[in-house]
Structures are given as structure tokens and as C-alpha cells.
Amino acid sequence: MDIEIKKLRGQLQGRIILPNDSEYKASKTIYNAMIDKKPALFVKCKNKHDVAKAIHFAKDNGLEVSVKAGGHNGAGLALVENGLVIDLSEMKSIKINPDERTAIVEPGNTLADVDKATHEHGLAVPVGVNGNTGISGLTLGGGLGFLTRKAGLTIDHLKAAEVVLASGDIVMANENSNPDLYWALRGGGGNFGVVVSFTYSLIAIKNVYAGPMFWPIEKAKDLMRFYDRYTKDASNDLYGFFAFLNVPDTEPFPEHLRKKNVCAIIWCYTGAKEKIEEVFEPIRQFGPPILDFVSDIAIPALNSMFDWLYPPGLQWYWKGHYLNELTDVCIDENINYGSNLPTPRSTMHLYPVDGKAHEVGQQETAWAHRDIRWVQAIIGVSDDPNKADLIRNWSKAYYDAVIPYSSGGGYVNFTMQDDEARVKESYGVNFERLRSLKKKYDPENFFRLNQNIKPAD
Ligand SMILES: Cc1cc2nc3c(=O)[nH]c(=O)nc-3n(C[C@H](O)[C@H](O)[C@H](O)COP(=O)(O)OP(=O)(O)OC[C@H]3O[C@@H](n4cnc5c(N)ncnc54)[C@H](O)[C@@H]3O)c2cc1C
């Protein structure tokens, strides 16, 4: 293969990284330190033509491929053992058109990169809650975050994508051009090709009233009931994700709260300033929070508020599912596990998926579950590799305890590789159409290192 690699090197604008190169170790280091795979080579692409060449090369040499953008996927799908990694991390251009309110974003950008560029114009794409996540994988799986109730999922703002298909052809996908592919990309993950540019519509939003409030763990049952009731009837301007967590043992948290197991809501209010008091008074009245960090904050700062707590290089094991109702038994099971977090950074989040996200029909995009209220994420995290089993076992046991109350399926971006059996359920009514489109656009299942949709028979 040496001669072929030399030939490919001569054709690329980007670079090839091999196991003996000094950059190899850094290239194969992804966000979740639990994953250790040894690819045969990385093609660090500079443009769409590099991507097409990497695809042809992999096919000609019988190599399995993976696609790496932000490298954040918990299951480590960005890497392939002994195969070729199509590495998009250096494709980082962002072009904003403030008049049309659009952004054309290359796939190597993080959420923080996109936030920074759009914020300069007083605009934003609704994205996720950690700035160091890749925009690419997040978008293709759906995209949940603080603006979901106000503005919908990230995919609801995806206007077009340029895609390199498994054939190596480069096509546009939007309402007029390959509309079926455009439909599939909005939730269908990395199954249909390599997206080399995303065009988003932007919303005008700059600052919000947001941040965490903590309550004693003993209040968890009442808080969950209150949270359920209060957010159900709230306007789309109020978003709050519920969490169990341990208070970090550091500034700016008051010493008497540090390391305490608490329940929390991380709020984001996008409505009129004059209404803040009216909206937040019942929350503060419910039972005075033991910590209240809610204040005016710029969107990029909000979306990277927890980055320091979750730097790259930790052990991660996620489980997740969709949830519609917080019944009393479901609440009890949650409290059982949420008040026994296995490590300081382990946590559980309930991310709302209602409000504006419900205004899109189940079959309008590939993301089928438009009727659920929350995505539940059970997140085992540790800085100690010796605790890998501990966090895995806790996440699995927690998940097994709450799954009877699930509304079925789960968010593909919060699953590990051992969850692949649930792909069908996760796509629900859209699964068969996705399989047909997989057959049309990737009949050989060339792109299979993802939450994989197998081509129709
Ligand atoms: C700390 C943390 C916080 C998170 N918070 C949120 C959140 O708030 N909201 C949310 O919705 N999700 C969140 N996620 C989940 C996140 O959306 C997924 O992990 C997503 O896969 C990350 O995208 P990436 O580009 O970094 O992934 P990578 O690991 O680079 O890629 C993952 C997979 O996505 C596919 N892919 C990526 N880019 C392309 C492309 N250009 N073309 C084709 N396929 C591609 C490939 O199949 C690839 O294997 C979070 C994850 C972490 C670890």
C-alpha cells in the first residue's frame, strides 16, 4: 500500500498521518478517553475534493472508513481500527451573511466556533450545551440545547448541506436539490455521506437570562414534580434542563456546598426582560434554591459554561432514552440513582424537546420523535480509568431502572456502540424510509461506523 499512499499524498491539499508520524497520537486522541482505536491512516482533509479522494482510496484498498469531525461522539465512532479516518477537523471556515441571516459552516468547527462567529452579528444557531462539541455530528443527529424550546432543533435550521456520497460524487442537498437526501440528513446521522458544508438559517438572539439553580437532594421529588408542571405550561421562552449532580469542589461554588449531591435546573429564558421577575418568582418561591447563578449572559458564554468541568480526556459512558412523563414511580427510580452518583462528575440530565421542536411533524425530517418531552441522558464520567467499570455499571443499572417508563427509542447522539440494536426504535415511523434512502445513497453500507441504518433489502 506504500506506493498508493504516496500517490494519494501527491493528490491531496491536506495531509496523511500514519502510525509512525509525530501527529498520530494526537490525531487518535478523541474526547472520550475510554476509546483507544488504532487507525491505519488519517486523511486530514482540506476540502471536499480531499474527502472524495479519501473515499476512492479506501474503496480501492478495501479499507473500512470512519468520519471524524469534533471527535466528541461518546461511542468513539470517529475512529476505526486498522482503517482510514476521514478527518474533517481542519475544515474550519465559517461564512456569515448577516443580511440573509445565514451561516455556511465547514464540518471541523465546534459549537463554540459557530457561536463566536454568529454572536458578532447578534445571531445564533440553536446548538448544544458544551462549546467543545463538534457542530457536525451534533447537527446530523438532531441537535438539542438551550434554544430548543424557543427555536427547535439544530436540524430545523439546516437549510442545505453539501455532501460527498459513497460513490465519491459531490452533491447539494436542500429543498430543491436531492430533497430526499436533505430529509435524511436531518437526524439520520453519518449514514448518507460526508457533509462538507452546512448552511444554517440564524435567529436574532444575543443575550439571555440563564444559569443553574441548585436545591438540596432531599427536595428532589418535589422539585421534579414542580419542574414537570411548571415547564409544561410555560411559554417557549422558558427552557430548563433538570439535573442530578455533585457540586464541584472549587470556586465559584460556596465551600459549604462543595461535593454535595444536589438536584438542579439549568435555566435559559429568552423572553422580555420585564417578564423575568414574573416568570422566575414561582421558581424561587417553590423552595428557595441553595444556589442561584441565573443572570444575564451571552449565548456563547452559556453554551460553554460547563466546558471547564468536562475537558477532553475523561472516561465517559452514556445511556439515554426518550421520556414523556414523570410519573411518581419514575421519579422515585431517578432519585434512587441520582442520589447515588458514582463519581464527582457523573450526572443525569433531562433535556426538553418540546416547544418549537414540536411544531415540526414526525415525518418532516428523519428525527421522528417530535412528541416527546425529554431526552434523558445518564452520564457516567470519571478522570480515573480505573473507574471505567464503575461508571459503566452505574449508567446501565440506572438505565435499566428507568427504561420501563420510557416512551421508546433514544437520541442517537447519546448512545454507545452497544445500543445499536435500538436504532430502529430511535427512528420510529421514519426507519423504513431511511433504509430505502440508505439503499439509494449508500447501497454497500460503506458509511457504517455510525448509529447504523442498514440498506433496505
Ligand atoms: C460533553 C458532551 C456534551 C454534549 N452535549 C450535547 C448537546 O447539548 N446536544 C446534543 O444534541 N448533543 C450533545 N452531545 C452529543 C453530540 O451531539 C455527539 O457526541 C456528536 O456525535 C458530536 O459530534 P462530533 O462532530 O464532535 O462527533 P465525531 O465524534 O467527530 O463524529 C461522530 C460521528 O458523527 C458522524 N459525522 C460527524 N461529522 C460528519 C460529517 N461531516 N459527515 C458525515 N458524518 C459525520 C460520523 O458518523 C461520526 O462517526 C454532547 C456530547 C458530549 C461528549
Side-chain angles (χ1 to χ4, degrees):
M1 202 159 60
D2 288 358
I3 296 175
E4 276 85 4
I5 289 178
K6 209 167 161 192
K7 234 194 300 177
L8 176 65
R9 202 168 247 147
Q11 294 168 359
L12 295 173
Q13 281 239 319
R15 305 187 317 289
I16 293 177
I17 309 292
L18 298 170
N20 288 332
D21 291 334
S22 57
E23 275 184 71
Y24 181 79
K25 191 161 175 244
S27 300
K28 78 178 198 64
T29 302
I30 54 169
Y31 187 76
N32 184 359
M34 204 184 270
I35 313 289
D36 181 22
K37 293 189 203 166
K38 295 174 190 62
L41 74 159
F42 289 80
V43 178
K44 298 243 177 200
C45 300
K46 286 283 185 209
N47 57 38
K48 57 189 174 188
H49 303 295
D50 283 357
V51 173
K53 281 169 190 148
I55 289 173
H56 286 302
F57 179 85
K59 282 187 156 176
D60 293 346
N61 292 281
L63 290 169
E64 195 174 7
V65 297
S66 66
V67 178
K68 178 181 173 212
H72 241 59
N73 181 274
L77 294 171
L79 299 179
V80 52
E81 195 69 49
N82 285 322
L84 182 153
V85 180
I86 299 176
D87 189 329
L88 307 170
S89 59
E90 294 183 358
M91 293 177 65
K92 286 185 79 84
S93 124
I94 300 179
K95 292 189 190 110
I96 312 283
N97 183 329
D99 299 328
E100 286 180 9
R101 289 194 178 169
T102 55
I104 302 177
V105 176
E106 281 195 322
N109 286 290
T110 63
L111 308 188
D113 296 330
V114 177
D115 264 347
K116 182 169 179 282
T118 53
H119 188 71
E120 281 172 21
H121 303 277
L123 301 169
V125 189
V127 291
V129 304
N130 276 93
N132 48 20
T133 310
I135 187 71
S136 226
L138 175 125
T139 301
L140 293 169
L144 321 164
F146 286 112
L147 299 177
T148 300
R149 294 194 88 236
K150 167 85 177 168
L153 305 178
T154 310
I155 47 170
D156 300 335
H157 295 262
L158 182 68
K159 292 292 145 204
E162 193 172 24
V163 190
V164 187
L165 300 176
S167 60
D169 293 345
I170 301 172
V171 299
M172 279 307 294
N174 57 33
E175 263 178 16
N176 304 314
S177 191
N178 301 301
D180 53 359
L181 178 61
Y182 173 54
W183 177 87
L185 291 174
R186 287 174 291 160
N191 275 287
F192 298 93
V194 182
V195 178
V196 287
S197 98
F198 297 86
T199 303
Y200 299 98
S201 60
L202 305 174
I203 58 166
I205 191 160
K206 215 168 164 148
N207 295 333
V208 290
Y209 183 73
M213 276 185 197
F214 296 171
W215 285 268
I217 195 73
E218 296 73 26
K219 280 287 233 183
K221 190 159 191 165
D222 291 342
L223 182 66
M224 286 185 108
R225 285 177 172 155
F226 169 79
Y227 166 73
D228 177 18
R229 234 181 15 253
Y230 196 67
T231 56
K232 192 176 208 160
D233 298 330
S235 85
N236 290 353
D237 281 322
L238 185 68
Y239 173 100
F241 78 77
F242 181 92
F244 288 113
L245 60 112
N246 289 315
V247 180
D249 185 17
T250 181
E251 293 283 352
F253 300 97
E255 269 184 49
H256 70 281
L257 289 184
R258 291 184 196 168
K259 298 204 229 173
K260 268 203 170 21
N261 180 202
V262 296
C263 47
I265 302 174
I266 296 73
W267 297 105
C268 173
Y269 180 68
T270 52
K273 270 198 162 46
E274 311 77 66
K275 289 222 154 185
I276 287 176
E277 218 177 296
E278 187 189 315
V279 172
F280 279 83
E281 201 194 287
I283 299 168
R284 293 183 168 118
Q285 288 292 313
F286 149 76
I290 49 175
L291 180 134
D292 185 344
F293 278 172
V294 186
S295 64
D296 281 329
I297 184 168
I299 290 277
L302 176 65
N303 283 339
S304 53
M305 186 178 261
F306 306 107
D307 287 7
W308 64 274
L309 187 58
Y310 294 107
L314 304 173
Q315 308 280 313
W316 284 73
Y317 191 88
W318 304 78
K319 292 298 275 183
H321 70 109
Y322 293 138
L323 185 66
N324 228 341
E325 261 191 299
L326 275 175
T327 57
D328 278 355
V329 269
C330 174
I331 288 176
D332 288 344
E333 288 295 1
N334 272 285
I335 294 172
N336 194 13
Y337 286 88
S339 50
N340 287 293
L341 302 171
T343 59
R345 286 184 172 95
S346 293
T347 185
M348 188 287 287
H349 295 168
L350 286 181
Y351 295 111
V353 193
D354 50 0
K356 194 80 181 167
H358 277 195
E359 290 177 22
V360 177
Q362 306 262 72
Q363 291 177 286
E364 271 182 67
T365 65
W367 212 94
H369 291 265
R370 297 286 185 160
D371 52 351
I372 56 151
R373 276 192 74 197
W374 297 282
V375 162
Q376 177 161 29
I378 297 160
I379 310 168
V381 189
S382 177
D383 54 8
D384 180 356
N386 294 320
K387 301 238 165 89
D389 283 343
L390 178 72
I391 59 172
R392 193 184 289 112
N393 293 341
W394 172 80
S395 303
K396 285 184 171 175
Y398 191 155
Y399 174 81
D400 288 345
V402 293
I403 204 70
Y405 315 106
S406 171
S407 58
Y411 180 38
V412 291
N413 274 350
F414 289 163
T415 46
M416 301 301 281
Q417 225 154 358
D418 50 15
D419 284 318
E420 245 194 275
R422 288 174 52 221
V423 170
K424 179 176 182 192
E425 216 188 336
S426 298
Y427 287 113
V429 290
N430 291 329
F431 185 63
E432 288 309 323
R433 184 172 178 205
L434 284 163
R435 286 193 66 206
S436 304
L437 291 172
K438 180 75 173 173
K439 187 173 181 185
K440 176 173 173 188
Y441 287 103
D442 182 15
E444 310 292 326
N445 202 9
F446 178 71
F447 298 112
R448 56 181 173 275
L449 271 176
N450 40 46
Q451 290 299 323
N452 195 231
I453 297 164
K454 309 252 179 328
D457 303 327

